[in-house]
């Protein structure tokens, strides 16, 4: 039997739930359904709370902006927002086997060991560097060309921190479109940033990171509650076919169903969407298959605060490219003190990423041993941890690699020929969770 609906959303991650929520809010008369393959909603957003410790499998938090304000207001969650501690501004990067503080302002550039004097001279020459580069230029190539080769370790650390990716493969235009635009329009990143129109009066400074009381999963519970029975769990979308003006959508799972939907939104990772649309448009499926995703391992280690020789009052540290698979360590117990019992610190060591794809296949014991080694080496951790927890997120973070922007343009051209079909989610633009909360979502 074929059932009908106005909009069928595949995937109950942040993108799918937020899209269904906004569409239903705009048109309560529409029959909107969300089909999720897993037995729970949320995608990578999952909070584990155990014995007074709070661990996030995916996003540690969100960077507040107008989109997060809009969604959290609509869900009546604004009072549940927990800003990260002010110390979150302090960050470090690994250099020659030790932690070096990232400069917090231009004056600290003069004293940081990250740059020699001649590197600084090269850095400030950026406005006079001629335009250049290719449209698909990598992040490391762009930053080296404009600011000098000494920026390479920072580019690598940033690529690790945001995308668990490889700075030599990630595309600058897709990661930081504003920087590329500044070069194109003003001939310089620094000049472009200076000339940006500034709102007057200046809005108050926002925290760099926020979470929610009860962890990030609180946002998922609120969205799922608002959507109620419209969310079908354990219902993987298997394929989508054209049928008249709409689409026939086959759901698998223990209770296979078929829907005729006027509109379909695939808010699932690109590699999963490729399988779903293979029969509809093989070229589109091939393009989607080309968007890779990296796996990340998070090892949480909790211990009394006095077990660490280093001060733990910041965001955490990032590691540039290295033979070891370390991406960085988040000081989650410093960011959100309520995530650890009183007098204790919780750290999240993250490893793997695009350069170490097999990391998630290693045993818990190996991963834990490795994390403890890093925490000893960089933060002077001594003794046994009071708490450990391991999370593996496989094929989780889309890689906007060189050619990504051009690929998105080709994908947009294919979907333009499929009216009513939309691709959403972090595979395309805006890798952050807030990017998925936006009313318009993130799509090619
Ligand atoms: C380790 C890690 C740390 C992160 N840290 C941060 C952070 O600190 N801040 C931040 O802003 N972002 C962070 N992110 C990114 C954030 O998690 C993503 O932006 C967000 O989860 C993307 O949402 P999505 O809905 O596009 O995809 P997903 O979260 O991947 O959800 C997709 C959903 O689709 C479902 N699905 C797949 N195939 C099918 C199918 N055939 N049919 C039906 N359903 C299907 C999946 O089960 C899943 O529920 C992090 C991600 C990871 C993995």
């Amino acid at each position: 039997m074929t059932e009908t609906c106005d909009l069928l959303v595949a995937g109950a991650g942040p993108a799918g739930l937020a899209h269904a929520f906004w569409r239903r809010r705009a048109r309560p008369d529409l029959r909107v359904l969300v089909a999720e393959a897993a037995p729970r909603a949320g995608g990578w957003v999952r909070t584990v709370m155990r014995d007074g410790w709070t661990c996030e499998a995916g996003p540690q938090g969100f960077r507040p902006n107008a989109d997060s304000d809009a969604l959290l207001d609509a869900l009546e969650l604004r009072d549940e927002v927990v800003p990260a501690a002010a110390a979150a501004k302090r960050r470090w990067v690994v250099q020659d086997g030790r932690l070096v503080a990232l400069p917090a302002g231009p004056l600290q550039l003069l004293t940081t060991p990250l740059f020699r004097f001649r590197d600084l001279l090269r850095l400030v020459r950026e406005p006079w560097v001629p335009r250049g580069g290719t449209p698909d230029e990598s992040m490391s190539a762009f930053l080296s060309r404009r600011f000098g080769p000494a920026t390479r370790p920072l580019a690598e650390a940033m690529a690790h921190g945001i995308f668990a990716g490889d700075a030599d493969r990630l595309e600058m235009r897709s990661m930081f479109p504003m920087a590329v635009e500044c070069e194109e329009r003003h001939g310089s990143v620094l000049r472009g940033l200076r000339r940006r129109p500034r709102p007057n009066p200046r809005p108050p400074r926002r925290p760099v990171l926020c979470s929610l009381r009860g962890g990030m999963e609180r946002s998922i519970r609120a969205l799922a509650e608002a959507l109620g029975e419209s969310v079908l769990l354990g219902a993987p979308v298997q394929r989508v076919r054209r049928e008249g003006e709409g689409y026939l959508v086959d759901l698998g799972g223990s209770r296979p169903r078929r829907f005729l939907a006027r509109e379909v939104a695939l808010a699932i990772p690109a590699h999963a969407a490729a399988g779903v649309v293979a029969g509809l448009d093989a070229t589109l499926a091939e393009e989607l298959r080309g968007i890779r995703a990296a796996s990340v391992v998070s090892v949480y280690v909790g211990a009394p605060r006095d077990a660490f020789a280093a001060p733990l009052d910041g965001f955490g540290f990032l590691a540039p490219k290295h033979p070891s698979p370390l991406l960085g360590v988040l000081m989650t117990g410093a960011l959100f003190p309520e995530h650890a019992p009183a007098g204790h610190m919780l750290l999240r060591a993250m490893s793997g990423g695009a350069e170490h794809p097999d990391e998630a296949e290693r045993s818990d014991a190996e991963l834990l041993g490795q994390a403890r080694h890093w925490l000893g080496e960089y933060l002077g951790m001594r003794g046994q941890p009071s708490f450990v927890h391991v999370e593996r997120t496989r094929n989780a973070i889309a890689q906007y690699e060189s050619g990504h922007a051009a690929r998105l343009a080709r994908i947009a051209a294919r979907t333009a020929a499929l009216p009513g079909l939309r691709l959403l989610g972090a595979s395309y633009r805006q890798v952050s969770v807030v990017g998925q909360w936006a009313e318009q979502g993130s799509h090619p």
Side-chain angles (χ1 to χ4, degrees):
M1 194 184 89
T2 302
E3 303 166 70
T4 58
C5 64
D6 295 294
L7 166 64
L8 193 137
V9 180
L17 291 174
H19 183 66
F21 174 79
W22 287 122
R23 290 294 303 275
R24 264 252 304 250
R25 206 171 148 93
R27 290 279 309 273
D29 56 312
L30 294 186
R31 183 169 192 227
V32 177
L33 292 175
V34 183
E36 164 58 48
R40 63 172 283 281
W44 296 120
V45 182
R46 184 162 55 81
T47 307
V48 177
M49 296 175 105
R50 223 175 68 206
D51 305 330
W53 304 91
T54 301
C55 308
E56 299 286 358
Q60 194 63 48
F62 61 94
R63 212 188 163 108
N65 65 11
D67 292 324
S68 61
D69 289 352
L71 186 78
L72 297 172
D73 277 342
L75 293 171
E76 295 179 10
L77 279 183
R78 266 300 261 286
D79 292 343
E80 304 301 311
V81 172
V82 183
K89 288 192 195 88
R90 283 161 56 92
R91 292 158 197 237
W92 295 266
V93 67
V94 176
Q95 188 189 46
D96 301 329
R98 65 192 181 95
L99 298 190
V100 174
L102 282 173
L107 275 183
Q108 287 182 21
L109 273 174
L110 296 172
T111 52
T112 176
L114 289 172
F115 298 114
R116 291 163 305 179
F117 186 63
R118 69 163 193 256
D119 301 329
L120 287 179
L121 289 182
R122 174 64 182 83
L123 214 93
V124 297
R125 249 185 42 222
E126 192 271 340
W128 292 275
V129 174
R131 286 185 180 88
T134 53
D136 64 349
E137 191 172 23
S138 74
M139 184 186 172
S140 56
F142 179 94
L143 292 175
S144 294
R145 182 171 60 74
R146 295 231 51 95
F147 294 97
T151 54
R152 171 170 267 280
L154 284 187
E156 291 173 357
M158 253 154 66
H160 280 175
I162 307 172
F163 279 80
D166 179 348
D168 291 326
R169 297 186 68 153
L170 292 168
E171 183 175 80
M172 189 68 187
R173 178 179 300 274
S174 296
M175 290 183 73
F176 299 106
M178 197 169 61
V180 175
E181 221 178 276
C182 283
E183 183 189 30
E184 284 171 355
R185 290 188 52 193
H186 303 280
S188 147
V189 178
L190 294 178
R191 200 177 305 128
L193 289 178
R194 251 197 338 266
R195 289 188 185 161
R196 252 182 335 161
R198 295 192 194 283
N200 193 7
R202 276 193 129 165
R205 269 186 186 276
R206 287 177 178 266
V208 290
L209 190 76
C210 289
S211 182
L212 294 163
R213 234 177 288 284
M216 287 297 288
E217 196 166 330
R218 183 80 185 266
S219 63
I220 299 297
R221 284 203 302 277
L223 281 164
E225 260 165 42
L227 291 164
E229 291 179 359
S230 313
V231 182
L232 313 174
L233 299 176
V237 171
Q238 291 181 319
R239 63 178 175 160
V240 174
R241 281 174 293 154
R242 201 85 172 101
E243 173 79 14
E245 299 282 280
Y247 294 90
L248 269 185
V249 184
D250 287 327
L251 306 189
S254 57
R255 201 185 144 212
R257 293 165 82 173
R258 173 170 290 172
F259 286 93
L260 177 60
R262 259 191 328 108
E263 284 182 65
V264 172
L266 299 179
I268 59 184
H271 56 86
V276 168
V277 302
L280 191 63
D281 182 340
T283 308
L284 174 61
E286 208 42 48
E287 292 287 6
L288 295 173
R289 237 172 250 124
I291 302 176
R292 295 197 314 147
S295 304
V296 172
V297 170
S298 299
V299 177
Y300 280 93
V301 175
R305 278 185 173 258
D306 59 13
F308 300 89
L312 301 173
D313 55 350
F315 197 98
F317 67 85
L318 288 169
K321 253 192 208 185
H322 193 265
S324 100
L326 175 65
L327 296 167
V329 171
L330 281 179
M331 298 172 176
T332 64
L335 293 172
F336 302 112
E338 60 283 4
H339 287 195
H344 287 71
M345 172 52 63
L346 181 61
L347 296 161
R348 180 182 187 179
M350 299 174 84
S351 58
E355 294 149 27
H356 297 275
D358 299 330
E359 182 75 349
E361 309 317 317
R362 301 174 66 191
S363 71
D364 279 12
E366 274 181 289
L367 293 169
L368 187 58
Q370 172 181 263
R372 287 190 58 194
H373 166 76
W374 290 324
L375 299 182
E377 189 174 345
Y378 296 118
L379 300 175
M381 182 185 169
R382 298 172 300 260
Q384 292 297 316
S386 336
F387 171 82
V388 292
H389 178 75
V390 178
E391 285 286 349
R392 294 174 179 79
T393 41
R394 291 188 170 87
N395 295 324
I397 304 191
Q399 301 294 295
Y400 302 169
E401 293 179 337
S402 289
H404 187 74
R407 185 189 297 281
L408 292 193
R410 294 194 298 273
I411 289 176
R414 303 298 304 181
T415 51
L418 296 167
L421 183 106
R422 181 185 296 236
L423 296 163
L424 291 170
S427 289
Y428 309 107
R429 289 184 210 280
Q430 306 220 43
V431 81
S432 70
V433 71
V434 167
Q436 317 316 317
W437 286 352
E439 200 165 346
Q440 294 311 314
S442 118
H443 50 86

